[in-house]
Amino acid sequence: MGRIHVLSENVANKIAAGEVVERPASVVKELLENSLDAGARRIRVNVEAGGKKLIQIIDDGCGMVRDDAMLAFERHATSKIRNADDLVSIATLGFRGEALPSIASVSRLRLETRAPEDDAGTVIEIAGGKLLTVEEAGLPPGTSIAVRDLFFNIPARRKFLKAESTELSHIASLVTHYALAHPEMHWELHSATNAMLIAPPVADHSQRIYQVFGRETLDQLLPLSAMLPLERIGLPQPPPWRRSQPEEDEVAEPVKGDIKLHGFVSRPEIQKLNRNSIFIFVNGRLIRDRLVQHALTEAYRNIVPPTVYPVVLLFLEMPFTEVDVNVHPSKVEVRFRQSSLLHDFIRDSVRAALMKARPVPAFVTEMRAQPTASPSLSPRGGVSAAEVGELGVTAADAAFALHAPETPSFTSRLQFEGSGIAIEANAAIPVARFGPQTFGGALQPALAEVAPPTNGCSVTVTAEEDAAVGLESLATLKPLGQIRDSFILAVNPQGLWIIDQHVAHERVLFEKILKQRLAATPEKQQLLMPLIIELTPSQMAVFAEISDELQLNGFEAEPFGTRTIAVKSTAAGIKADEVEHMLHEILDQFEREEQSLNLEKIRTGIAATIACHAAIKVNMPLEQNKMEWLLAELAKTDCPMSCPHGRPVVLRYSVKDIQRAFKRI
Ligand code: ADP
Ligand code: MG
């Protein structure tokens, strides 16, 4: 019995319309999703010439009987939904019934399929939308669809395809991320004779990440898992427009449900310059969503600088009625029904995972991971990646300088079809280690380090595996001195540490101020004489909005004329001659905010500004006991790895890095 039917015009009209075949990767996406919907356990993708010449997807899913195989190429023919009500609760990746006819109309397509219950399979050939042959054949159960010569009959579109390597990287990114989402399945991607990905089933997502990207990437990621119970799910039942007379007993009990979140987020020291390494799956579907992006930005606020992005792989599972996928023809955009609840849930879960880890940036990773985002310590002039470990030596003759290291040349980007989803080829991998290919067997260190000859000097210093050192070890640091009265050098068994004294103190004060604010016990200092400060009209407007909050942080100020205020007291630690500058800074930062202010933003903004002005400055000599005090205070903070503006506080040069630089390992 066939399962596919053509949707009525009425239902078809309710489906988000639009073209889905933009480029080879979009064909791959539609066909992959069909294989997943067909319950496949094994998916093999073969491409040639970046998919321009051939895209073939072979699965071991439910296959199609002969009639279905014919019907599948009709527009709006699908086995996945029947009526308009089904559209509010879509459980499959596909539902539009348009992919196969669209693909068949712009290529030479060959379908081979057999349902396990049938003896014989069906082969169908179509070119440019015209049916050429339908034959019976002995075939294994499952489906193979080969798409050749994409856009052969639309030269204008063929011309717009990118270079083979670009199209291939889009496909590789797509297949890799679907493989990450389904660790229980067997995945393969072959480009001509080159096996780009072979991933047999593994037990869970972290094993899959290890399998595909390697140990180093896995170490940079923090796992998270959380659940949010919902009081009610979906639309009210029955929907308002169907209700005749709302009688007491007709009002159905709200149905409860859960949102589950799990996945991985990168440690704060892994900083990407764009959002291309953020992957979000909702009920198994790869999506792009501003709400989720915003929640992530909020989670990383005050931990990474606002201009950099983390690496994220998140899986959200929720009742199908909670998410509308009928928004965009290629189904990459969705609408959540309880969006603000979901936003806060994601923000809080990610934040909790980050706080739990309290990781320290490794010195070398820091340099590799932040090509231009924020200044990091590096010698002047280019250093080859292999030399990065020798920084200390190279830096000795180059004048000590703070500037942004060069962007590594090989972070080629992998983009998804027109969706704008892309990753850097080396996603979370510190850039110095790997070459441009990161898929499957290609994942080999690009700069193979040649083992030095052993000459009796290569006794290895015993060091425990120190991929991620917890902040507990900060408490054991012994300060040695300062570099240029600005950076504290310290050691412990975990290596050599450099602490930026200003941002370290800033972090300490920031957390202290927030705590005092919560307890409503600000430390303030009275000014000898009220300070009269002039404000611009917009500063004045912001002042009116946040003056209560300022007061709760120790600033007693009141309007004194239309454009001036009189400040009587300030937060502790602020010198009188800095008060004016600091107040302007606080007011200006909220003036520039595009979005509406929320209390948390105001509080953290004020605390960060006070902390910055009250903190120990650079170029300030510190006594030994002052350095010890600062490190001890820093060790007590919740988030000692970065300053409130997201800059790193501490860099660590691990024993392993030191050994590597001295060619002992
Ligand atoms: P949709 O996925 O939106 O239903 P498609 O045009 O992608 O529309 O596919 C049409 C129908 O063909 C599907 O509903 C499904 O029944 C069938 N089909 C497509 N690909 C496969 C496959 N790999 N295995 C089994 N059935 C498939
Ligand atoms: Mg489909």
Side-chain angles (χ1 to χ4, degrees):
M1 249 306 278
R3 295 178 301 138
I4 303 184
H5 44 264
V6 175
L7 295 173
S8 71
E9 205 181 311
N10 174 32
V11 180
N13 286 341
K14 291 198 166 63
I15 288 174
E19 189 48 69
V20 292
V21 187
E22 272 180 49
R23 61 191 316 170
S26 41
V27 174
V28 175
K29 177 171 181 282
E30 291 294 334
L31 297 182
L32 277 188
E33 292 189 349
N34 279 347
S35 296
L36 290 168
D37 283 343
R41 311 304 300 162
R42 272 183 93 92
I43 295 184
R44 177 181 169 128
V45 182
N46 297 329
V47 296
E48 282 174 29
K52 294 185 198 180
K53 198 160 155 215
L54 170 75
I55 295 166
Q56 183 181 23
I57 312 253
I58 306 164
D59 70 47
D60 63 350
C62 67
M64 285 176 264
V65 299
R66 185 187 169 104
D67 287 353
D68 275 354
M70 303 276 294
L71 208 51
F73 292 95
E74 296 289 327
R75 285 201 69 212
H76 298 305
T78 181
S79 56
K80 301 170 191 176
I81 61 166
R82 281 196 172 270
N83 48 46
D85 283 353
D86 292 342
L87 280 172
V88 298
S89 173
I90 294 170
T92 47
L93 297 171
F95 59 89
R96 307 170 73 242
E98 291 204 283
L100 289 185
S102 308
I103 296 167
S105 69
V106 295
S107 67
R108 300 183 221 276
L109 184 148
R110 180 182 169 94
L111 164 77
E112 300 179 1
T113 187
R114 177 164 80 82
E117 61 272 22
D118 279 1
D119 296 335
T122 309
V123 178
I124 293 181
E125 286 192 327
I126 302 179
K130 283 201 197 68
L131 186 65
L132 302 181
T133 54
V134 183
E135 283 165 6
E136 219 171 67
L139 293 171
T143 303
S144 155
I145 297 184
V147 176
R148 285 176 205 280
D149 305 327
L150 187 64
F151 298 137
F152 78 97
N153 52 351
I154 317 179
R157 301 212 34 203
R158 193 168 173 85
K159 228 171 46 202
F160 276 104
L161 294 179
K162 299 272 163 33
E164 282 175 19
S165 55
T166 312
E167 297 297 347
L168 180 62
S169 63
H170 288 240
I171 293 173
S173 167
L174 185 76
V175 177
T176 305
H177 286 89
Y178 268 106
L180 289 171
H182 293 277
E184 74 289 355
M185 287 175 57
H186 179 108
W187 292 85
E188 287 189 28
L189 171 62
H190 299 262
S191 170
T193 55
N194 179 16
M196 298 183 77
L197 174 76
I198 296 181
V202 283
D204 56 31
H205 290 96
S206 62
Q207 287 191 26
R208 180 69 102 202
I209 291 175
Y210 176 65
Q211 188 183 40
V212 175
F213 290 127
R215 159 73 42 202
E216 203 147 346
T217 300
L218 191 56
D219 285 341
Q220 306 293 10
L221 297 176
L222 305 167
L224 72 106
S225 152
M227 195 172 92
L228 175 70
L230 295 176
E231 281 303 310
R232 60 166 181 85
I233 59 167
L235 295 170
Q237 294 292 330
W241 59 89
R242 292 263 177 82
R243 266 177 237 162
S244 40
Q245 284 294 307
E247 284 170 25
E248 279 289 305
D249 54 339
E250 225 184 80
V251 181
E253 276 283 300
V255 182
K256 295 189 179 196
D258 300 315
I259 298 183
K260 296 197 190 80
L261 170 69
H262 69 106
F264 300 85
V265 295
S266 56
R267 295 174 181 277
E269 69 267 28
I270 301 300
Q271 302 183 351
K272 295 285 161 187
L273 302 178
N274 52 43
R275 295 197 170 92
N276 296 344
S277 306
I278 298 177
F279 290 88
I280 299 146
F281 287 83
V282 175
N283 293 339
R285 180 191 308 278
L286 184 58
I287 60 143
R288 181 181 57 181
D289 187 74
R290 290 183 56 169
L291 178 94
V292 180
Q293 298 278 13
H294 188 262
L296 290 170
T297 308
E298 292 277 295
Y300 278 85
R301 184 187 290 282
N302 302 123
I303 298 181
V304 302
T307 49
V308 305
Y309 303 91
V311 175
V312 174
L313 183 64
L314 279 189
F315 302 98
L316 279 158
E317 311 289 339
M318 60 185 76
F320 300 120
T321 49
E322 279 299 298
V323 50
D324 183 1
V325 295
N326 184 22
V327 177
H328 190 271
S330 55
K331 300 162 291 184
V332 294
E333 282 169 22
V334 297
R335 233 186 328 252
F336 297 107
R337 301 220 193 277
Q338 305 192 44
S339 53
S340 64
L341 211 61
L342 182 75
H343 172 275
D344 294 357
F345 171 57
I346 295 173
R347 179 196 61 202
D348 297 346
S349 310
V350 172
R351 185 91 187 172
L354 289 170
M355 286 298 130
K356 210 165 108 198
R358 304 202 330 156
V360 194
F363 188 44
V364 177
T365 311
E366 186 63 33
M367 293 196 305
R368 289 169 179 159
Q370 285 195 13
T372 55
S374 65
S376 64
L377 295 173
S378 112
R380 230 189 263 286
V383 201
S384 83
E387 283 172 336
V388 169
E390 294 179 326
L391 182 81
V393 180
T394 330
D397 44 56
F400 183 76
L402 270 179
H403 68 101
E406 287 176 355
T407 310
S409 55
F410 52 70
T411 45
S412 58
R413 293 170 67 228
L414 305 184
Q415 275 209 327
F416 278 17
E417 38 88 48
S419 67
I421 299 177
I423 59 166
E424 279 169 13
N426 48 8
I429 302 162
V431 295
R433 293 289 173 79
F434 298 108
Q437 285 173 300
T438 57
F439 300 110
L443 232 192
Q444 293 301 324
L447 310 157
E449 281 170 43
V450 183
T454 39
N455 51 10
C457 300
S458 59
V459 181
T460 315
V461 180
T462 46
E464 72 260 38
E465 193 40 61
D466 56 5
V469 170
L471 252 291
E472 309 76 62
S473 56
L474 260 189
T476 65
L477 278 179
K478 188 168 164 301
L480 303 177
Q482 288 167 286
I483 304 172
R484 296 248 167 137
D485 294 336
S486 301
F487 303 96
I488 300 172
L489 265 185
V491 289
N492 70 1
Q494 275 76 41
L496 170 70
W497 302 60
I498 304 183
I499 299 98
D500 180 324
Q501 66 193 38
H502 171 67
V503 290
H505 196 207
E506 220 180 357
R507 168 53 73 179
V508 170
L509 291 174
F510 174 68
E511 292 194 10
K512 183 172 144 195
I513 293 164
L514 280 182
K515 277 192 193 121
Q516 288 173 342
R517 166 64 194 85
L518 279 184
T521 52
E523 268 180 44
K524 60 178 171 184
Q525 61 195 35
Q526 230 48 53
L527 294 172
L528 286 176
M529 289 224 296
L531 197 67
I532 307 300
I533 298 180
E534 212 172 303
L535 302 179
T536 65
S538 55
Q539 285 175 334
M540 200 68 200
V542 177
F543 175 77
E545 204 171 333
I546 68 168
S547 64
D548 288 352
E549 201 50 45
L550 281 170
Q551 183 153 12
L552 287 161
N553 277 287
F555 289 95
E556 281 174 299
E558 39 196 54
F560 187 78
T562 43
R563 288 240 238 111
T564 39
I565 55 172
V567 181
K568 294 187 200 146
S569 74
T570 79
I574 306 291
K575 293 207 195 84
D577 57 357
E578 279 200 47
V579 174
E580 178 164 3
H581 182 199
M582 184 182 60
L583 262 179
H584 281 154
E585 213 175 290
I586 291 178
L587 297 173
D588 288 347
Q589 67 179 297
F590 298 123
E591 198 187 321
R592 279 197 304 271
E593 282 282 332
E594 288 155 23
Q595 286 164 336
S596 63
L597 289 174
N598 66 42
L599 201 56
E600 201 192 320
K601 257 190 213 162
I602 296 174
R603 281 185 191 164
T604 53
I606 292 176
T609 312
I610 299 174
C612 181
H613 284 266
I616 297 168
K617 302 281 183 291
V618 292
N619 296 317
M620 186 186 277
L622 299 178
E623 303 270 319
Q624 181 75 11
N625 59 5
K626 189 85 189 198
M627 290 193 278
E628 282 165 12
W629 170 85
L630 182 56
L631 296 185
E633 288 298 304
L634 183 65
K636 287 187 225 155
T637 59
D638 290 334
C639 183
M641 63 280 199
S642 48
C643 85
H645 305 104
R647 297 205 311 257
V649 172
V650 186
L651 300 176
R652 181 174 64 97
Y653 200 31
S654 76
V655 177
K656 223 171 171 185
D657 292 324
I658 295 171
Q659 286 174 327
R660 205 176 279 137
F662 283 116
K663 304 273 182 253
R664 282 178 173 274
I665 51 171

